[in-house]
Amino acid sequence: MRVCALDDIVPGTGVCALVGGEQIAVFRIDQEIHAIGNRDPFSGANVLSRGIVGDLKGELVVASPIYKQHFSLLTGRCVEDASARVPVYAARVEEGWVVVEPAKQVATTCCFCGVGCGVVVSVSRNEIISLKGDAGHPANFGRLCTKGASLHLPTDAGARLLYPELNGARASWDEALDHAAARFAKIIAEHGPDAVAFYISGQLLTEDYYVFNKLAKGLVGTNNVDTNSRLCMSSAVAGYKMSLGADAPPCAYEDIDAADLILIAGSNTAFAHPVVYRRIEDARAKNPDLKLVVIDPRATVTARAADLHLALKPGTDVPLFNAMLHFLFKEGLTKKEYIREKTQGLPSLKPLIDYWTPERAAEVCELPVEQIVQAARLFGTSGAALSLYCQGLNQSANGTFKNSALINLHLATGQIGRPGAGPFSLTGQPNAMGGREVGGMANLLSAHRDLASAQDRAEVAALWGVNSVPAAPGKTAVEMFEAIGRGEIKAVWIACTNPAQSMPDALAVRRALAGAEFVVVQEAFRDAETCDYAHVLLPAATWGEKEGTVTNSERRISRVRAAVPPPGEARPDWLIAADFARRLARRLGKNVSFDYASAEDVFREHRESTRGRDLDITGLSYAVLEREGPQQWPYPEGARAGRTRLYADGVFPTPSGRARFVATEYVPPAEAPDADYPLRLTTGRLRDQWHSMTRTGLDARLFSHSPEAEVNVHPQTLTGLGIADGNLVRVASRRGGMVMRVRASEDLRPGDAFVAMHWGGRFTGGAGTNALTVGAIDPHSKQPELKHAAVRLEPFEPKWRAVLAGFGSGAGKWLQRFDYASLTLAEAGQEALTSVELASAETPDAEALAALDALFGLDGAEAKLLHRYAKRGVEKRVRIERGVLTAFRLTGDLASAEHFRQAMLARSEVTEEGLLSAAPANAAGRAVCSCYGVREAEIRAAVAAGADLARLQKELRCGTSCGSCLPELKRLAA
Ligand code: SF4
């Protein structure tokens, strides 16, 4: 809109304008116009239009008239604090008038976890300039966690895949897809449809999933379509189906507000589902009688906040739940009428209940009997008991029974189908639910239909206009990569997932991919480890660039909307799959329709497939979602709203209409510790990273909470091994190993070890965490046991060590040449500082080292060798530009590395003499509050000086933005 005449603004000054309801600061620099948000984020006042404009270190900025911060007029970034940014608006001069375009607001959904938070993004000049939580979205009511709140932050532009590639060379879409279709068609013709497979993702949108599923089962005629949701939710699916008859989480988030007892099993909710955890905190604050029981081998932030924490031996949840059931029956705390009228199968469970006394379970679980009894009593006496559970139950070779054993407790006490009660599986991924709804897995059919049912298969075939869909279950994730390794599956299409890093026994998976005849990878980010194995690489659109829907943990379907166009030639996933399918159909001589004009077209076809099913959404449309907002299923035609809670009538989707007690036998973890591998390794999530870090690993801010890979063990364990805290160790399992730093942690049980699941070969010197994990699978769900492996720690004595830092990207691909490598990012003004620590047991790989030097500009004439003492292998190499240190490599003597790093982060002026005599500096330590970069050391110092939570928030600002750090702040301030 026209704001004013250009001449109304004095050159070099600004004015404030109200555009689209927002206060915008408009500046005139000679004949040019710049527009940014008028609100100074530090003072909260609308004052920036009154700031002084000038050049700061080559950047055009405005100085806040209230505090000392400067904001770039081009990017909106704060020069002094990279965590702060003001929106930038498109502005121009037209016929002597100043024209400013209002930001476009687009409501969409966060692409990370299954909480499914609503997000409102502001778009200007085809760039997402800011975002906030959607106050109207019932999953989050405006809240976001650190990950969601960082979605708009710019990352390395070179990280995106922009063009199709064929055998490493740029190709057109036609060339790439025709080639892929020809290879798939040939393999299918020679070896049959089961010689090809599709491995897709719980992060795809429902529409993407739908097209892939139809492509595999309807066109190719194979059920070899599985997804990384197999690694995440399949035991929850199998547990629900076994116990309740359908894959349908019966609860809603609002049950948190109505519960008297919340039992969290196998979930560090405060880190994995932060917005749900904040709702739990609110519910506890409102209702002091609400009890929180946490079952977790680790004393996580979630567990430490509980009224009762059961730190059981990893993998022993089934004995614990069976013993709780024993106690409930023994004490008469069950609901006899509910059991009699609404359930079946209790007699089959009787021997197990009799066997698992609390005393016997206490021995197996390594828990005090009293804790088991207390947990059971709390469950049996609460008015409304809600259980929340996640990967601690699912990622286990006994995972389905872990789920069903917990559901048994709900059935025995009638704690289901009522407000505040029920077994509520927290979904890991943003759209694992949507994938299950379209049947996009090897053993599922569309709309919760059963692969084994001829009628269900016939219905799907009719919907798709094909003669039949295959009856035999396809290969599930672990089975699929084993079959690729054996050469049975010759071609695999991988979309939106990174199995070379995320699958258990990752080295075996990499060998399989390296030996596969034909691999297509459809991916948004170039550096995903799996891209290294692709014959055809296809650039996919990602969050903010594509349209569709997702379903969250509480069965709520939300719209995902495109706010900006995809970069380069990237395309939405459904569109790529449909284009390929049409080309393949021609070669196979089949007539299956993939003529979708839009994502909405795909949604309509999927919607029709749900008619009459338990998840019937025939009453939904994009228009309804637009008008009414996100909706829970079922939502059949004619409905006015979705169903908040299932099974309120006590009727279950089983043939008898009754829920089933399941005889949940205890099966110990597949790999028990022994003399060679004496520690129990469990894996889990970090607060600020997501999966294999293809996206979050590009954002420097998200490293501040957990900057590097480390293995945590109890101090006693470390003492027993004679290893010092902070040393490098090699963590080894029967399948592989990795070198990382060891940290003593009282959060672990003696004898247990913990490594975060996220670390892969771009951040460490190996295949990452999953080089250690085991591919054993649950017999019912086929979900692998990612949470339990036997490992040992060995001291690692490097012969050679180095630290490099600089502002280049792309270092990750060289790390695997070193025995130890740790790559981390830190915010340095407008840029991300990359630091790499390296170590080798022998002489380092010269080629890799030279490549890293070149990457950071340490190889040319502008680099300087400050010091060398060859006899001791000591070297200091630096690059200083205009008095500022911009890169360095220290070899041998690393004592001043932190000093150098801090000089780079501060952009302070340095001299060669000063660098040569630099004293060792202490690392700043991890940040607890990522939003404002508040370090643990600062918080501890403030608490020692008497600060409580309120004072910490007031004086340090920590915990006042997204709130993800509040559980840790409370713990530190306690
Ligand atoms: Fe995204 Fe965080 Fe919400 Fe999960 S809790 S959906 S990661 S904002």
Side-chain angles (χ1 to χ4, degrees):
M1 64 176 270
R2 283 185 171 185
V3 166
C4 60
L6 179 65
D7 290 342
D8 291 344
I9 310 178
V10 178
T13 69
V15 296
C16 176
L18 196 62
V19 180
E22 313 244 358
Q23 280 203 31
I24 296 178
V26 184
F27 298 94
R28 176 177 175 189
I29 312 296
D30 297 326
Q31 298 306 305
E32 277 183 23
I33 286 295
H34 297 275
I36 63 172
N38 193 33
R39 186 173 170 275
D40 170 8
F42 294 91
S43 63
N46 281 306
V47 291
L48 291 184
S49 61
R50 290 192 270 124
I52 295 172
V53 179
D55 183 292
L56 188 70
K57 294 183 186 171
E59 181 118 30
L60 187 60
V61 297
V62 58
S64 166
I66 294 192
Y67 292 138
K68 60 179 183 182
Q69 285 83 8
H70 299 80
F71 298 88
S72 166
L73 295 189
L74 299 178
T75 65
R77 284 272 201 149
C78 173
V79 175
E80 292 79 13
D81 182 348
S83 65
R85 194 177 178 210
V86 293
V88 179
Y89 298 85
R92 61 185 179 277
V93 179
E94 251 179 34
E95 298 167 355
W97 287 89
V98 173
V99 177
V100 177
E101 286 177 13
K104 186 174 72 171
Q105 306 283 313
V106 180
T108 184
T109 310
C110 176
C111 63
F112 292 122
C113 84
V115 179
C117 296
V119 179
V120 179
V121 300
S122 294
V123 181
S124 180
R125 295 192 295 205
N126 270 350
E127 193 195 346
I128 295 176
I129 53 173
S130 64
L131 62 73
K132 60 187 180 187
D134 185 345
H137 197 295
N140 58 318
F141 297 112
R143 282 177 169 161
L144 294 175
C145 76
T146 335
K147 295 183 289 286
S150 303
L151 269 166
H152 65 299
L153 295 179
T155 54
D156 177 9
R160 290 297 300 272
L161 260 173
L162 300 176
Y163 309 102
E165 289 178 21
L166 196 50
N167 296 318
R170 182 172 169 178
S172 68
W173 272 105
D174 279 343
E175 287 165 339
L177 291 179
D178 278 339
H179 179 79
R183 294 297 304 267
F184 264 66
K186 186 164 185 287
I187 290 169
I188 292 165
E190 289 173 1
H191 305 281
D194 289 338
V196 303
F198 298 85
Y199 186 63
I200 53 177
S201 169
Q203 289 177 267
L204 289 172
L205 308 185
T206 301
E207 291 75 0
D208 303 324
Y209 247 125
Y210 182 87
V211 177
F212 270 112
N213 194 44
K214 185 175 176 184
L215 159 61
K217 293 171 183 171
L219 175 62
V220 176
T222 180
N223 284 321
N224 284 344
V225 52
D226 216 50
T227 142
N228 59 13
S229 300
R230 182 71 60 187
L231 316 181
C232 177
M233 299 313 299
S234 52
S235 289
V237 174
Y240 274 138
K241 286 171 84 167
M242 204 175 266
S243 295
L244 308 180
D247 171 21
C251 309
Y253 294 143
E254 65 184 58
D255 285 319
I256 291 168
D257 310 329
D260 295 314
L261 170 76
I262 296 178
L263 184 149
I264 298 180
S267 162
N268 182 9
T269 316
F271 279 18
H273 296 96
V275 169
V276 161
Y277 187 75
R278 295 200 62 202
R279 192 155 180 170
I280 295 171
E281 287 182 314
D282 288 351
R284 292 180 88 192
K286 274 192 217 131
N287 174 13
D289 294 332
L290 167 58
K291 292 282 181 268
L292 179 65
V293 175
V294 173
I295 297 166
D296 195 315
R298 290 191 298 141
T300 60
V301 172
T302 310
R304 284 188 186 270
D307 297 295
L308 174 64
H309 170 210
L310 289 82
L312 80 178
K313 184 167 87 176
T316 59
D317 308 76
V318 167
L320 171 62
F321 296 143
N322 286 351
M324 288 172 66
L325 194 59
H326 175 110
F327 182 83
L328 292 173
F329 276 105
K330 187 166 154 244
E331 295 295 310
L333 294 173
T334 55
K335 288 268 184 323
K336 291 194 179 75
E337 200 181 317
Y338 191 89
I339 294 171
R340 194 174 55 244
E341 291 178 5
K342 311 291 184 194
T343 73
Q344 65 188 76
L346 186 59
S348 70
L349 191 54
K350 183 86 174 40
L352 276 179
I353 299 173
D354 291 345
Y355 179 81
W356 284 109
T357 62
E359 290 73 18
R360 187 168 266 138
E363 253 178 60
V364 173
C365 303
E366 297 178 359
L367 285 171
V369 176
E370 303 74 48
Q371 285 193 352
I372 300 176
V373 165
Q374 197 188 346
R377 194 183 299 283
L378 282 169
F379 197 97
T381 56
S382 80
L386 181 71
S387 55
L388 304 174
Y389 48 99
C390 200
Q391 309 309 353
L393 301 195
N394 298 343
Q395 291 180 333
S396 162
N398 200 200
T400 304
F401 280 177
K402 284 183 180 179
N403 275 263
S404 285
L406 179 55
I407 297 172
N408 283 343
L409 297 176
H410 285 272
L411 297 180
T413 51
Q415 295 280 13
I416 186 168
R418 294 189 284 112
F424 191 1
S425 150
L426 296 174
T427 311
Q429 300 199 75
N431 198 31
M433 286 278 288
R436 285 138 63 180
E437 289 156 20
V438 305
M441 294 178 89
N443 56 339
L444 303 177
L445 266 185
S446 303
H448 290 177
R449 287 182 176 82
D450 188 353
L451 209 54
S453 157
Q455 186 187 334
D456 284 1
R457 292 198 305 278
E459 283 175 13
V460 173
L463 280 163
W464 287 343
V466 298
N467 293 334
S468 64
V469 290
K475 297 273 192 289
T476 59
V478 170
E479 298 166 332
M480 183 182 285
F481 285 94
E482 286 172 352
I484 295 169
R486 290 192 302 269
E488 279 169 41
I489 291 176
K490 299 180 187 306
V492 61
W493 189 297
I494 298 166
C496 196
T497 181
N498 190 14
Q501 194 275 337
S502 57
M503 287 287 294
D505 197 0
L507 290 171
V509 170
R510 288 174 183 217
R511 285 192 295 274
L513 285 170
E517 211 173 299
F518 188 57
V519 179
V520 179
V521 177
Q522 180 172 323
E523 176 54 68
F525 295 98
R526 186 80 184 75
D527 287 341
E529 285 86 344
T530 307
C531 292
D532 293 346
Y533 301 92
H535 300 101
V536 175
L537 258 180
L538 302 174
T542 184
W543 179 84
E545 302 162 1
K546 55 194 271 195
E547 294 281 337
T549 52
V550 289
T551 310
N552 73 1
S553 296
E554 61 169 358
R555 294 172 279 106
R556 189 176 297 280
I557 297 174
S558 297
R559 280 281 278 114
V560 172
R561 294 182 176 89
V564 292
E569 295 180 6
R571 292 180 177 179
D573 289 282
W574 70 266
L575 193 65
I576 300 171
D579 194 349
F580 169 73
R582 287 191 294 271
R583 292 166 200 257
L584 184 63
R586 283 197 291 277
R587 288 177 188 271
L588 296 179
K590 292 191 179 180
N591 186 17
V592 185
S593 172
F594 288 92
D595 292 326
Y596 308 109
S598 64
E600 190 173 5
D601 262 6
V602 182
F603 179 84
R604 286 193 202 100
E605 191 173 306
H606 158 58
R607 177 182 66 186
E608 191 51 37
S609 77
T610 69
R611 188 174 292 282
R613 309 290 305 171
D614 65 321
L615 73 166
D616 190 330
I617 55 165
T618 45
L620 277 186
S621 64
Y622 278 19
V624 170
L625 292 169
E626 190 74 40
R627 198 174 61 239
E628 310 289 338
Q631 298 295 323
Q632 287 175 283
W633 61 251
Y635 196 117
E637 202 165 10
R640 290 226 171 133
R643 197 173 310 153
T644 306
R645 200 169 289 104
L646 304 181
Y647 314 137
D649 54 1
V651 177
F652 293 85
T654 58
S656 64
R658 290 162 177 260
R660 294 183 281 240
F661 279 102
V662 177
T664 48
E665 296 278 358
Y666 168 53
V667 180
E671 191 175 61
D674 58 16
D676 291 333
Y677 297 93
L679 302 180
R680 293 175 190 279
L681 174 76
T682 186
T683 62
R685 291 178 190 276
L686 296 173
R687 192 192 70 189
D688 292 355
Q689 295 294 349
W690 179 253
H691 282 196
S692 69
M693 298 166 67
T694 45
R695 185 181 189 110
T696 53
L698 298 169
D699 187 342
R701 183 192 293 186
L702 296 179
F703 281 80
S704 62
H705 187 251
S706 301
E708 63 170 351
E710 57 186 34
V711 55
N712 298 146
V713 294
H714 191 273
Q716 272 175 26
T717 307
L718 211 49
T719 307
L721 291 166
I723 298 174
D725 187 19
N727 273 13
L728 295 183
V729 294
R730 180 177 158 77
V731 187
S733 78
R734 287 185 174 79
R735 294 152 295 282
M738 66 189 289
V739 178
M740 61 185 111
R741 209 175 297 287
V742 65
R743 293 278 178 213
S745 170
E746 301 271 358
D747 293 351
L748 274 285
R749 296 156 31 98
D752 291 354
F754 172 80
V755 179
M757 62 180 275
H758 313 282
W759 302 109
R762 282 165 293 129
F763 303 96
T764 63
T769 307
N770 283 316
L772 304 168
T773 53
V774 60
I777 56 176
D778 177 278
H780 309 283
S781 68
K782 308 290 178 83
Q783 180 157 354
E785 189 154 70
L786 283 157
K787 286 277 187 192
H788 196 287
V791 298
R792 65 172 174 241
L793 301 192
E794 302 161 357
F796 177 75
E797 299 295 345
K799 242 190 188 169
W800 175 90
R801 295 184 74 164
V803 174
L804 294 94
F807 293 97
S809 57
K813 67 179 177 200
W814 297 102
L815 303 188
Q816 299 196 29
R817 305 266 196 108
F818 300 88
D819 292 324
Y820 166 73
S822 173
L823 184 151
T824 192
L825 302 182
E827 289 183 303
Q830 319 269 336
E831 293 180 90
L833 173 68
T834 301
S835 304
V836 183
E837 187 175 343
L838 303 167
S840 287
E842 300 298 336
T843 311
D845 184 314
E847 187 194 11
L849 195 58
L852 289 171
D853 276 349
L855 202 77
F856 293 134
L858 288 163
D859 58 340
E862 291 182 44
K864 174 134 193 203
L865 183 63
L866 269 190
H867 170 69
R868 175 181 276 159
Y869 185 10
K871 206 165 142 197
R872 293 209 168 167
V874 172
E875 198 175 289
K876 289 187 181 179
R877 190 180 285 267
V878 297
R879 181 176 173 127
I880 300 172
E881 295 175 68
R882 286 187 279 176
V884 174
L885 184 65
T886 56
F888 74 85
R889 166 156 68 83
L890 303 185
T891 311
D893 177 5
L894 312 185
S896 45
E898 192 53 38
H899 183 108
F900 281 34
R901 252 175 52 86
Q902 286 177 16
M904 290 178 76
L905 289 169
R907 299 276 182 162
S908 53
E909 294 207 349
V910 295
T911 61
E912 293 181 10
E913 296 71 32
L915 290 174
L916 269 172
S917 59
N922 287 332
R926 70 181 194 106
V928 173
C929 171
S930 306
C931 299
Y932 292 116
V934 186
R935 308 263 157 194
E936 183 175 346
E938 289 173 79
I939 295 164
R940 285 193 186 279
V943 170
D948 59 6
L949 177 64
R951 236 176 88 188
L952 289 174
Q953 290 178 298
K954 185 160 182 268
E955 291 173 8
L956 301 178
R957 292 203 298 157
C958 49
T960 57
S961 182
C962 79
S964 297
C965 61
L966 281 170
E968 282 173 275
L969 288 178
K970 284 179 188 164
R971 180 176 159 184
L972 290 167

